[in-house]
Amino acid sequence: MSDLDLRGKRVLIREDLNVPIENGRITSTQRLDAALPTIVAARDAGARVMVMSHLGRPKEGQFDGESSLAPVAKWLGGKLGRPVRLVRDYLDGVDVADGEVVLLENCRMNVGEGKDDEALARKYAALCDVFVMDAFGTAHRAQASTHGVIKYAPVAAAGPLLSAELDALGKALEHPAHPLLAIVAGSKVSTKLILLENLTAKVDQLIVGGGIANTFIAAAGYGVGNSLYEPDLLDAARQVMADARRRNAEVPLPVDVVVAPEFSAHAPATVKPVDQVKDGEMILDIGPETARRYAGLIGKAGTVVWNGPVGVFEFDAFAKGTETLARAIAASRAFSIAGGGDTLAAVDKFGIEKDVSYISTGGGAFLEFLEGKELPAVAALKARAGR
Ligand code: 3PG
Protein backbone atom coordinates (compact mmCIF):
# COMPACT_ATOMS: atom_id res chain seq x y z
CA MET A 1 0.00 0.00 0.00
CA SER A 2 2.81 2.37 0.89
CA ASP A 3 4.10 2.21 -2.71
CA LEU A 4 0.83 3.55 -4.14
CA ASP A 5 -0.28 7.13 -4.74
CA LEU A 6 -3.61 7.22 -2.93
CA ARG A 7 -4.45 10.92 -3.25
CA GLY A 8 -8.10 11.35 -4.28
CA LYS A 9 -8.49 7.59 -4.76
CA ARG A 10 -11.36 5.55 -3.39
CA VAL A 11 -9.51 3.14 -1.13
CA LEU A 12 -11.32 0.15 0.37
CA ILE A 13 -9.39 -1.31 3.30
CA ARG A 14 -10.37 -4.73 4.66
CA GLU A 15 -9.40 -4.85 8.31
CA ASP A 16 -10.14 -7.41 11.00
CA LEU A 17 -12.00 -5.27 13.53
CA ASN A 18 -13.62 -8.34 15.07
CA VAL A 19 -13.20 -7.30 18.69
CA PRO A 20 -14.95 -8.50 21.85
CA ILE A 21 -17.88 -6.24 22.76
CA GLU A 22 -19.89 -6.56 25.98
CA ASN A 23 -22.99 -4.42 26.52
CA GLY A 24 -21.89 -2.12 23.72
CA ARG A 25 -18.41 -1.66 25.20
CA ILE A 26 -15.25 -2.85 23.46
CA THR A 27 -13.34 -4.97 25.97
CA SER A 28 -10.07 -5.37 24.02
CA THR A 29 -8.85 -2.82 21.47
CA GLN A 30 -5.79 -4.82 20.46
CA ARG A 31 -6.98 -5.41 16.87
CA LEU A 32 -8.17 -1.83 16.52
CA ASP A 33 -4.84 -0.45 17.74
CA ALA A 34 -3.06 -2.66 15.20
CA ALA A 35 -5.29 -1.55 12.29
CA LEU A 36 -5.32 2.16 13.09
CA PRO A 37 -1.92 3.08 11.58
CA THR A 38 -3.02 1.71 8.18
CA ILE A 39 -6.21 3.77 8.24
CA VAL A 40 -4.35 6.90 9.34
CA ALA A 41 -1.72 6.41 6.62
CA ALA A 42 -4.39 6.15 3.90
CA ARG A 43 -6.23 9.17 5.25
CA ASP A 44 -3.05 11.21 5.50
CA ALA A 45 -2.20 10.26 1.92
CA GLY A 46 -5.44 12.03 0.88
CA ALA A 47 -7.43 8.90 0.05
CA ARG A 48 -11.20 8.56 0.31
CA VAL A 49 -11.10 5.80 2.86
CA MET A 50 -13.70 3.06 3.26
CA VAL A 51 -12.90 0.60 6.02
CA MET A 52 -14.56 -2.77 5.91
CA SER A 53 -14.67 -5.59 8.48
CA HIS A 54 -16.71 -8.42 9.89
CA LEU A 55 -17.79 -8.68 13.51
CA GLY A 56 -18.84 -12.05 14.89
CA ARG A 57 -20.84 -14.41 12.75
CA PRO A 58 -24.24 -12.81 12.00
CA LYS A 59 -26.77 -14.35 9.60
CA GLU A 60 -26.42 -13.05 6.06
CA GLY A 61 -29.21 -11.01 4.52
CA GLN A 62 -30.53 -9.29 7.63
CA PHE A 63 -29.44 -6.47 9.90
CA ASP A 64 -28.37 -7.65 13.33
CA GLY A 65 -27.85 -4.85 15.84
CA GLU A 66 -25.78 -7.12 18.11
CA SER A 67 -23.23 -7.51 15.32
CA SER A 68 -23.17 -3.86 14.32
CA LEU A 69 -19.81 -2.15 14.03
CA ALA A 70 -21.30 0.99 15.67
CA PRO A 71 -19.03 0.80 18.77
CA VAL A 72 -16.04 0.45 16.46
CA ALA A 73 -17.11 3.50 14.41
CA LYS A 74 -17.30 5.49 17.64
CA TRP A 75 -13.87 4.27 18.74
CA LEU A 76 -12.35 5.15 15.36
CA GLY A 77 -13.94 8.61 15.42
CA GLY A 78 -12.36 9.22 18.82
CA LYS A 79 -8.93 8.20 17.55
CA LEU A 80 -9.17 10.11 14.27
CA GLY A 81 -10.47 13.28 15.93
CA ARG A 82 -13.51 13.40 13.68
CA PRO A 83 -16.72 11.31 13.68
CA VAL A 84 -16.55 8.24 11.46
CA ARG A 85 -19.79 7.57 9.56
CA LEU A 86 -21.04 4.00 9.74
CA VAL A 87 -22.57 3.26 6.33
CA ARG A 88 -25.19 0.55 6.23
CA ASP A 89 -26.17 0.52 2.53
CA TYR A 90 -23.02 0.69 0.53
CA LEU A 91 -23.08 -2.01 -2.12
CA ASP A 92 -24.13 0.42 -4.85
CA GLY A 93 -21.57 3.07 -3.96
CA VAL A 94 -20.54 5.40 -1.14
CA ASP A 95 -19.79 9.13 -1.22
CA VAL A 96 -16.57 9.82 0.60
CA ALA A 97 -14.57 13.04 0.56
CA ASP A 98 -10.79 13.21 0.09
CA GLY A 99 -9.16 12.48 3.45
CA GLU A 100 -12.44 11.26 4.96
CA VAL A 101 -12.77 7.87 6.65
CA VAL A 102 -16.04 5.93 6.70
CA LEU A 103 -16.73 2.50 8.13
CA LEU A 104 -18.88 0.05 6.18
CA GLU A 105 -21.30 -2.01 8.29
CA ASN A 106 -20.39 -5.63 9.09
CA CYS A 107 -19.67 -7.31 5.75
CA ARG A 108 -20.93 -10.67 7.06
CA MET A 109 -24.47 -9.31 6.86
CA ASN A 110 -24.12 -9.27 3.05
CA VAL A 111 -25.56 -12.23 1.19
CA GLY A 112 -22.76 -14.24 -0.40
CA GLU A 113 -19.91 -13.01 1.84
CA GLY A 114 -19.29 -16.39 3.47
CA LYS A 115 -19.28 -18.40 0.27
CA ASP A 116 -17.01 -15.99 -1.58
CA ASP A 117 -19.78 -15.10 -4.01
CA GLU A 118 -18.45 -13.65 -7.25
CA ALA A 119 -21.24 -11.10 -7.75
CA LEU A 120 -20.70 -9.72 -4.25
CA ALA A 121 -16.93 -9.65 -4.72
CA ARG A 122 -17.45 -7.65 -7.92
CA LYS A 123 -19.67 -5.19 -6.04
CA TYR A 124 -16.98 -4.65 -3.41
CA ALA A 125 -14.44 -4.20 -6.19
CA ALA A 126 -16.63 -1.59 -7.90
CA LEU A 127 -16.62 0.54 -4.74
CA CYS A 128 -12.94 1.34 -5.04
CA ASP A 129 -9.95 2.29 -7.12
CA VAL A 130 -7.62 0.47 -4.75
CA PHE A 131 -8.39 -2.47 -2.48
CA VAL A 132 -6.09 -2.95 0.48
CA MET A 133 -6.12 -6.32 2.24
CA ASP A 134 -4.88 -5.68 5.76
CA ALA A 135 -6.94 -8.18 7.77
CA PHE A 136 -4.35 -10.75 8.78
CA GLY A 137 -6.79 -12.15 11.36
CA THR A 138 -9.21 -13.11 8.57
CA ALA A 139 -6.67 -13.98 5.88
CA HIS A 140 -7.38 -17.70 6.41
CA ARG A 141 -10.99 -17.24 5.24
CA ALA A 142 -11.73 -17.41 1.51
CA GLN A 143 -14.66 -14.98 1.60
CA ALA A 144 -15.85 -12.25 -0.75
CA SER A 145 -14.24 -9.41 1.23
CA THR A 146 -10.94 -11.21 1.90
CA HIS A 147 -10.43 -13.24 -1.25
CA GLY A 148 -12.91 -12.74 -4.12
CA VAL A 149 -12.57 -8.95 -4.21
CA ILE A 150 -8.82 -9.25 -4.74
CA LYS A 151 -9.46 -10.74 -8.18
CA TYR A 152 -11.72 -7.93 -9.38
CA ALA A 153 -10.50 -4.70 -7.72
CA PRO A 154 -8.78 -2.29 -10.16
CA VAL A 155 -5.68 -2.48 -7.94
CA ALA A 156 -5.18 -4.83 -4.98
CA ALA A 157 -2.40 -4.53 -2.43
CA ALA A 158 -1.35 -5.90 0.94
CA GLY A 159 -1.68 -3.44 3.80
CA PRO A 160 1.10 -2.66 6.30
CA LEU A 161 -0.40 -4.77 9.11
CA LEU A 162 -0.78 -7.84 6.92
CA SER A 163 2.77 -7.35 5.65
CA ALA A 164 4.14 -6.92 9.18
CA GLU A 165 2.39 -10.10 10.36
CA LEU A 166 3.72 -12.12 7.43
CA ASP A 167 7.23 -10.72 7.94
CA ALA A 168 7.20 -11.56 11.66
CA LEU A 169 5.89 -15.07 11.11
CA GLY A 170 8.30 -15.61 8.23
CA LYS A 171 11.19 -14.45 10.44
CA ALA A 172 10.09 -16.84 13.19
CA LEU A 173 9.50 -19.92 11.09
CA GLU A 174 11.21 -19.59 7.74
CA HIS A 175 14.46 -17.84 8.70
CA PRO A 176 14.64 -18.30 12.47
CA ALA A 177 17.57 -17.59 14.71
CA HIS A 178 18.27 -20.94 16.38
CA PRO A 179 17.53 -22.55 18.72
CA LEU A 180 13.89 -22.23 17.60
CA LEU A 181 11.61 -23.09 20.50
CA ALA A 182 7.84 -23.41 20.16
CA ILE A 183 5.34 -23.58 23.00
CA VAL A 184 2.12 -25.23 21.92
CA ALA A 185 -0.54 -25.68 24.54
CA GLY A 186 -4.27 -25.95 24.64
CA SER A 187 -6.96 -28.35 25.60
CA LYS A 188 -6.79 -30.82 22.72
CA VAL A 189 -4.14 -32.53 20.62
CA SER A 190 -6.81 -33.09 17.96
CA THR A 191 -7.16 -29.35 17.27
CA LYS A 192 -3.40 -28.83 17.08
CA LEU A 193 -2.09 -32.09 15.63
CA ILE A 194 -1.21 -30.64 12.21
CA LEU A 195 0.48 -27.77 13.99
CA LEU A 196 2.52 -30.13 16.17
CA GLU A 197 3.51 -32.19 13.13
CA ASN A 198 4.52 -29.16 11.12
CA LEU A 199 6.49 -27.60 13.97
CA THR A 200 8.31 -30.84 14.74
CA ALA A 201 9.92 -30.55 11.33
CA LYS A 202 11.22 -27.04 12.09
CA VAL A 203 11.89 -26.50 15.78
CA ASP A 204 14.80 -27.38 18.05
CA GLN A 205 12.54 -27.64 21.08
CA LEU A 206 8.82 -28.15 21.35
CA ILE A 207 7.25 -27.47 24.72
CA VAL A 208 3.73 -28.82 25.05
CA GLY A 209 1.26 -27.74 27.70
CA GLY A 210 -2.31 -28.13 28.91
CA GLY A 211 -4.42 -31.05 27.68
CA ILE A 212 -1.88 -31.59 24.89
CA ALA A 213 0.87 -32.19 27.46
CA ASN A 214 -1.42 -34.55 29.40
CA THR A 215 -1.86 -36.68 26.28
CA PHE A 216 1.93 -36.72 25.82
CA ILE A 217 2.40 -37.65 29.50
CA ALA A 218 -0.09 -40.52 29.11
CA ALA A 219 1.65 -41.58 25.88
CA ALA A 220 4.91 -41.77 27.82
CA GLY A 221 3.26 -44.29 30.14
CA TYR A 222 2.35 -42.17 33.18
CA GLY A 223 -1.05 -41.96 34.82
CA VAL A 224 -2.94 -38.69 34.34
CA GLY A 225 -5.87 -39.38 36.69
CA ASN A 226 -8.89 -37.29 35.76
CA SER A 227 -6.91 -34.83 33.66
CA LEU A 228 -8.17 -33.66 30.31
CA TYR A 229 -6.45 -35.79 27.67
CA GLU A 230 -7.22 -37.68 24.47
CA PRO A 231 -6.82 -41.46 24.81
CA ASP A 232 -7.42 -41.91 21.05
CA LEU A 233 -4.41 -39.80 20.22
CA LEU A 234 -1.72 -41.53 22.26
CA ASP A 235 -0.20 -43.00 19.10
CA ALA A 236 -0.27 -39.61 17.40
CA ALA A 237 1.55 -38.11 20.40
CA ARG A 238 4.14 -40.94 20.30
CA GLN A 239 4.61 -40.27 16.59
CA VAL A 240 5.28 -36.57 17.22
CA MET A 241 7.88 -37.52 19.85
CA ALA A 242 9.49 -40.10 17.55
CA ASP A 243 9.64 -37.62 14.64
CA ALA A 244 11.18 -35.05 16.94
CA ARG A 245 13.84 -37.54 18.14
CA ARG A 246 14.70 -38.43 14.55
CA ARG A 247 15.34 -34.78 13.87
CA ASN A 248 17.25 -34.21 17.10
CA ALA A 249 14.52 -31.89 18.32
CA GLU A 250 13.62 -32.09 21.99
CA VAL A 251 10.06 -32.49 23.28
CA PRO A 252 10.69 -32.21 27.02
CA LEU A 253 7.91 -33.54 29.22
CA PRO A 254 7.08 -32.12 32.65
CA VAL A 255 9.00 -33.66 35.55
CA ASP A 256 6.53 -32.23 38.06
CA VAL A 257 2.95 -31.00 37.85
CA VAL A 258 0.36 -29.15 39.92
CA VAL A 259 -2.73 -31.25 40.59
CA ALA A 260 -6.13 -30.63 42.16
CA PRO A 261 -9.15 -32.80 42.94
CA GLU A 262 -11.37 -30.67 40.69
CA PHE A 263 -11.32 -27.92 38.06
CA SER A 264 -11.99 -24.89 40.23
CA ALA A 265 -10.30 -21.65 41.25
CA HIS A 266 -10.45 -22.65 44.91
CA ALA A 267 -9.41 -26.30 44.62
CA PRO A 268 -6.35 -27.10 46.77
CA ALA A 269 -3.22 -27.19 44.59
CA THR A 270 -0.54 -29.85 45.19
CA VAL A 271 2.84 -30.06 43.47
CA LYS A 272 4.02 -33.60 42.76
CA PRO A 273 6.36 -35.56 40.49
CA VAL A 274 4.78 -36.39 37.13
CA ASP A 275 4.81 -40.15 37.88
CA GLN A 276 2.76 -39.76 41.08
CA VAL A 277 -0.56 -38.48 39.71
CA LYS A 278 -3.38 -40.48 41.32
CA ASP A 279 -6.80 -41.50 40.07
CA GLY A 280 -9.21 -38.65 40.69
CA GLU A 281 -6.53 -35.94 40.40
CA MET A 282 -6.37 -33.41 37.59
CA ILE A 283 -3.18 -31.84 36.24
CA LEU A 284 -3.86 -28.10 36.03
CA ASP A 285 -0.35 -26.67 35.63
CA ILE A 286 3.29 -27.59 35.19
CA GLY A 287 5.28 -27.80 38.42
CA PRO A 288 7.98 -25.33 39.55
CA GLU A 289 10.95 -27.55 38.57
CA THR A 290 9.49 -28.04 35.07
CA ALA A 291 8.83 -24.31 34.78
CA ARG A 292 12.42 -23.59 35.83
CA ARG A 293 13.78 -26.00 33.18
CA TYR A 294 11.54 -24.63 30.43
CA ALA A 295 12.48 -21.07 31.37
CA GLY A 296 16.13 -22.12 31.02
CA LEU A 297 15.48 -23.36 27.48
CA ILE A 298 13.67 -20.11 26.64
CA GLY A 299 16.65 -18.15 27.97
CA LYS A 300 18.92 -19.90 25.45
CA ALA A 301 16.53 -19.70 22.48
CA GLY A 302 17.10 -17.52 19.42
CA THR A 303 13.42 -17.58 18.47
CA VAL A 304 10.33 -18.35 20.54
CA VAL A 305 6.89 -19.01 19.06
CA TRP A 306 4.16 -19.10 21.70
CA ASN A 307 0.64 -20.43 21.23
CA GLY A 308 -1.25 -21.48 24.33
CA PRO A 309 -0.90 -21.17 28.12
CA VAL A 310 0.65 -24.21 29.86
CA GLY A 311 -1.77 -24.19 32.80
CA VAL A 312 -5.13 -22.87 33.90
CA PHE A 313 -3.68 -19.37 34.29
CA GLU A 314 -7.11 -17.83 34.88
CA PHE A 315 -6.99 -19.44 38.37
CA ASP A 316 -4.16 -17.96 40.44
CA ALA A 317 -3.25 -21.29 42.05
CA PHE A 318 -2.53 -22.76 38.60
CA ALA A 319 -1.04 -19.68 36.88
CA LYS A 320 2.59 -19.97 38.02
CA GLY A 321 3.77 -22.18 35.15
CA THR A 322 2.39 -19.85 32.48
CA GLU A 323 3.67 -16.82 34.39
CA THR A 324 7.19 -18.25 34.68
CA LEU A 325 7.33 -18.95 30.94
CA ALA A 326 5.82 -15.53 30.12
CA ARG A 327 8.45 -13.81 32.24
CA ALA A 328 11.21 -15.91 30.68
CA ILE A 329 10.01 -14.85 27.22
CA ALA A 330 9.88 -11.23 28.35
CA ALA A 331 13.44 -11.43 29.72
CA SER A 332 14.94 -13.33 26.79
CA ARG A 333 16.81 -11.77 23.89
CA ALA A 334 15.09 -14.16 21.47
CA PHE A 335 12.85 -12.92 18.70
CA SER A 336 9.50 -13.86 20.24
CA ILE A 337 6.08 -14.05 18.68
CA ALA A 338 2.81 -14.78 20.50
CA GLY A 339 -0.66 -15.35 19.08
CA GLY A 340 -4.07 -16.82 19.84
CA GLY A 341 -6.82 -15.57 22.15
CA ASP A 342 -5.75 -17.36 25.37
CA THR A 343 -2.10 -16.53 24.81
CA LEU A 344 -2.88 -12.85 24.42
CA ALA A 345 -5.00 -12.95 27.56
CA ALA A 346 -1.96 -14.38 29.38
CA VAL A 347 0.33 -11.74 27.85
CA ASP A 348 -2.14 -9.16 29.12
CA LYS A 349 -2.49 -10.68 32.60
CA PHE A 350 1.27 -10.75 33.16
CA GLY A 351 1.79 -7.33 31.55
CA ILE A 352 4.49 -8.39 29.09
CA GLU A 353 3.06 -6.85 25.86
CA LYS A 354 6.04 -4.57 25.41
CA ASP A 355 8.55 -7.37 25.98
CA VAL A 356 7.27 -9.74 23.30
CA SER A 357 8.90 -8.94 19.94
CA TYR A 358 5.69 -9.40 17.96
CA ILE A 359 2.10 -9.98 19.05
CA SER A 360 -0.04 -11.39 16.27
CA THR A 361 -3.61 -10.21 15.74
CA GLY A 362 -4.49 -13.60 14.30
CA GLY A 363 -6.26 -16.43 16.09
CA GLY A 364 -7.16 -19.03 13.46
CA ALA A 365 -4.97 -17.28 10.87
CA PHE A 366 -1.93 -17.44 13.19
CA LEU A 367 -2.53 -21.16 13.73
CA GLU A 368 -3.01 -21.91 10.05
CA PHE A 369 0.20 -20.09 9.21
CA LEU A 370 2.06 -22.10 11.86
CA GLU A 371 0.49 -25.24 10.42
CA GLY A 372 2.22 -24.40 7.15
CA LYS A 373 -0.99 -23.68 5.26
CA GLU A 374 -1.16 -20.96 2.65
CA LEU A 375 -3.68 -18.31 3.65
CA PRO A 376 -6.25 -17.83 0.83
CA ALA A 377 -6.10 -14.02 0.96
CA VAL A 378 -2.33 -14.09 0.71
CA ALA A 379 -2.50 -16.62 -2.13
CA ALA A 380 -4.93 -14.34 -3.99
CA LEU A 381 -2.65 -11.31 -3.55
CA LYS A 382 0.29 -13.33 -4.84
CA ALA A 383 -1.71 -14.60 -7.82
CA ARG A 384 -2.74 -11.04 -8.59
CA ALA A 385 0.87 -9.90 -8.45
CA GLY A 386 1.85 -12.80 -10.73
CA ARG A 387 3.98 -14.45 -8.00
C1 3PG B 1 -10.90 -14.31 14.42
O1 3PG B 1 -11.44 -13.78 15.41
O2 3PG B 1 -10.10 -15.27 14.53
C2 3PG B 1 -11.13 -13.70 13.08
O3 3PG B 1 -11.73 -12.46 13.17
C3 3PG B 1 -11.88 -14.64 12.18
O4 3PG B 1 -13.17 -14.83 12.66
P1 3PG B 1 -14.01 -16.11 12.20
O5 3PG B 1 -13.40 -17.30 12.89
O6 3PG B 1 -15.42 -15.83 12.64
O7 3PG B 1 -13.87 -16.23 10.71
Side-chain angles (χ1 to χ4, degrees):
M1 178 183 109
S2 42
D3 299 338
L4 300 170
D5 178 10
L6 300 180
R7 182 156 304 278
K9 301 255 169 63
R10 297 171 305 150
V11 177
L12 177 61
I13 306 177
R14 174 57 159 107
E15 292 291 356
D16 186 331
L17 309 179
N18 185 26
V19 287
I21 297 178
E22 277 166 29
N23 301 323
R25 283 199 48 241
I26 299 169
T27 55
S28 163
T29 61
Q30 199 235 344
R31 281 183 165 161
L32 307 184
D33 296 329
L36 188 63
T38 304
I39 298 167
V40 168
R43 178 199 66 181
D44 291 351
R48 306 172 180 195
V49 184
M50 291 162 277
V51 181
M52 168 182 244
S53 176
H54 72 286
L55 180 70
R57 295 178 179 173
K59 259 214 183 96
E60 292 184 2
Q62 63 193 56
F63 178 76
D64 167 6
E66 287 281 291
S67 301
S68 170
L69 283 166
V72 175
K74 193 159 168 232
W75 185 92
L76 275 176
K79 291 289 166 185
L80 296 173
R82 180 179 159 177
V84 165
R85 268 192 294 142
L86 178 65
V87 186
R88 208 195 285 180
D89 295 315
Y90 53 84
L91 291 178
D92 294 319
V94 190
D95 281 329
V96 193
D98 289 3
E100 189 190 1
V101 176
V102 300
L103 180 63
L104 309 185
E105 186 56 285
N106 192 340
C107 57
R108 284 195 179 162
M109 294 182 194
N110 298 326
V111 175
E113 168 64 19
K115 63 174 182 29
D116 200 6
D117 179 67
E118 182 185 327
L120 182 62
R122 285 185 186 277
K123 282 204 173 245
Y124 292 153
L127 295 176
C128 64
D129 303 307
V130 176
F131 173 74
V132 176
M133 175 57 190
D134 203 34
F136 174 75
T138 332
H140 61 312
R141 304 284 183 220
Q143 299 181 340
S145 68
T146 57
H147 179 260
V149 59
I150 293 172
K151 284 185 262 178
Y152 308 115
V155 173
L161 174 61
L162 177 66
S163 301
E165 294 266 8
L166 296 175
D167 283 354
L169 280 159
K171 190 168 164 192
L173 284 190
E174 279 146 28
H175 316 284
H178 287 279
L180 166 56
L181 179 149
I183 303 167
V184 178
S187 51
K188 291 181 175 170
V189 174
S190 48
T191 53
K192 296 202 179 164
L193 189 57
I194 305 170
L195 172 62
L196 292 167
E197 287 167 351
N198 188 46
L199 287 180
T200 312
K202 294 195 162 83
V203 299
D204 301 296
Q205 286 112 9
L206 176 63
I207 289 177
V208 288
I212 296 177
N214 298 342
T215 304
F216 277 64
I217 291 169
Y222 301 117
V224 293
N226 267 356
S227 309
L228 178 72
Y229 86 112
E230 285 177 288
D232 297 347
L233 288 176
L234 297 181
D235 282 343
R238 287 188 194 106
Q239 189 62 49
V240 169
M241 290 191 270
D243 287 349
R245 264 195 303 277
R246 230 176 337 100
R247 290 198 58 260
N248 292 326
E250 287 174 66
V251 185
L253 289 186
V255 291
D256 58 351
V257 290
V258 184
V259 299
E262 58 179 10
F263 185 89
S264 133
H266 306 294
T270 309
V271 175
K272 52 168 56 185
V274 71
D275 58 358
Q276 309 275 306
V277 178
K278 293 205 201 86
D279 288 353
E281 290 180 332
M282 298 180 92
I283 302 172
L284 298 183
D285 195 8
I286 55 173
E289 175 56 22
T290 303
R292 196 185 62 76
R293 291 185 187 190
Y294 289 177
L297 293 175
I298 291 168
K300 291 195 207 104
T303 307
V304 177
V305 176
W306 182 19
N307 177 251
V310 292
V312 187
F313 75 99
E314 300 88 335
F315 301 161
D316 288 345
F318 309 104
K320 297 258 177 2
T322 303
E323 177 168 9
T324 304
L325 301 203
R327 302 229 173 276
I329 292 170
S332 96
R333 286 206 299 270
F335 176 75
S336 53
I337 179 161
D342 290 343
T343 315
L344 299 197
V347 164
D348 210 33
K349 173 160 178 165
F350 303 121
I352 59 157
E353 300 80 351
K354 299 229 162 25
D355 307 306
V356 178
S357 314
Y358 193 83
I359 295 189
S360 178
T361 55
F366 180 74
L367 275 186
E368 290 201 15
F369 190 101
L370 297 186
E371 285 172 354
K373 293 186 185 152
E374 180 150 55
L375 307 177
V378 176
L381 285 169
K382 283 188 185 161
R384 184 74 204 255
R387 276 187 280 141

